[in-house]
Amino acid sequence: MPTREIFQKLNAQVNREFNASHLYLRLSDWCTEHNFNGAATFLRNQAKNNVTQMMSLFDYMKQEGADPIIGATPVSACDCRSLEELFLRTLEDLKQRSASLSDLTLLAKDCHDDATCRVLESLAASHAENRQFLQALLEEVRAASREGVPLADTDRGFLNLVNYEHHSSV
């Protein structure tokens, strides 16, 4: 069974994942305002994924007898000036969440809490997959900018990607 310290850190991770979903929704709204509907749809899907990840941790905590507490989500304006800056922001957020997740996994290993380790390693694998995906999208935006490809074309590619992901997961 997880220790009190692990439960506290799990709860903090639950809130990080939940806050990430709000961040992605705010960034999606920014994309919509700037007519980047493909990126907006992609980010809304990412927000759903973050809620799913948060719920997985939440459910695990409940199963282990803890009472997770979801704190208030800080609301900040999306002050991005470009799609590149937006994807850099998502990558930085993911980097911070992954770092705290890594620390928590080490703590669980030190406490020989194998069940918690398995849950956290699954989330870490998802983070790694998301990091590769976000990095690829950032590179796509940068390449379009270098080659003079209109961002509207790149954005349509994001929408095609979201549609492909949806169909391949059904």
Side-chain angles (χ1 to χ4, degrees):
M1 178 170 207
T3 65
R4 181 175 175 80
E5 181 181 10
I6 289 176
F7 277 139
Q8 289 172 339
K9 292 183 183 238
L10 277 170
N11 197 82
Q13 192 70 34
V14 164
N15 280 281
R16 282 184 197 93
E17 299 301 326
F18 192 59
N19 289 338
S21 71
H22 285 264
L23 170 65
Y24 285 141
L25 288 174
R26 287 192 307 277
L27 296 176
S28 173
D29 188 49
W30 181 90
C31 287
T32 300
E33 289 174 7
H34 291 84
N35 295 316
F36 296 129
N37 296 320
T41 301
F42 166 76
L43 290 165
R44 281 192 302 278
N45 283 350
Q46 287 298 108
K48 284 184 216 175
N49 290 342
N50 285 107
V51 169
T52 299
Q53 292 167 346
M54 181 273 301
M55 288 302 301
S56 175
L57 288 175
F58 186 95
D59 290 344
Y60 174 71
M61 290 181 69
K62 292 300 282 182
Q63 171 190 323
E64 293 297 317
D67 290 318
I69 299 169
I70 305 298
T73 301
V75 178
S76 61
C78 177
D79 54 0
C80 297
R81 294 175 297 227
S82 67
L83 271 179
E84 179 178 358
E85 190 175 315
L86 180 140
F87 283 110
L88 284 169
R89 188 166 177 185
T90 62
L91 280 164
E92 182 58 32
D93 170 73
L94 183 57
K95 179 182 173 185
Q96 290 173 4
R97 286 184 290 126
S98 295
S100 65
L101 182 62
S102 180
D103 291 344
L104 178 52
T105 303
L106 288 175
L107 176 62
K109 285 180 181 177
D110 288 346
C111 293
H112 306 288
D113 185 347
D114 295 335
T116 300
C117 283
R118 282 190 296 278
V119 169
L120 297 175
E121 288 167 352
S122 174
L123 180 55
S126 179
H127 278 202
E129 187 177 301
N130 287 341
R131 184 174 23 269
Q132 287 180 324
F133 200 61
L134 288 168
Q135 187 65 46
L137 293 176
L138 173 62
E139 293 307 318
E140 187 75 23
V141 168
R142 287 176 170 166
S145 180
R146 277 192 310 273
E147 296 167 14
V149 175
L151 283 178
D153 292 347
T154 303
D155 183 65
R156 275 191 293 283
F158 293 160
L159 191 53
N160 291 337
L161 183 63
V162 169
N163 288 334
Y164 173 78
E165 277 189 327
H166 175 73
H167 292 297
S168 65
S169 66
V170 173

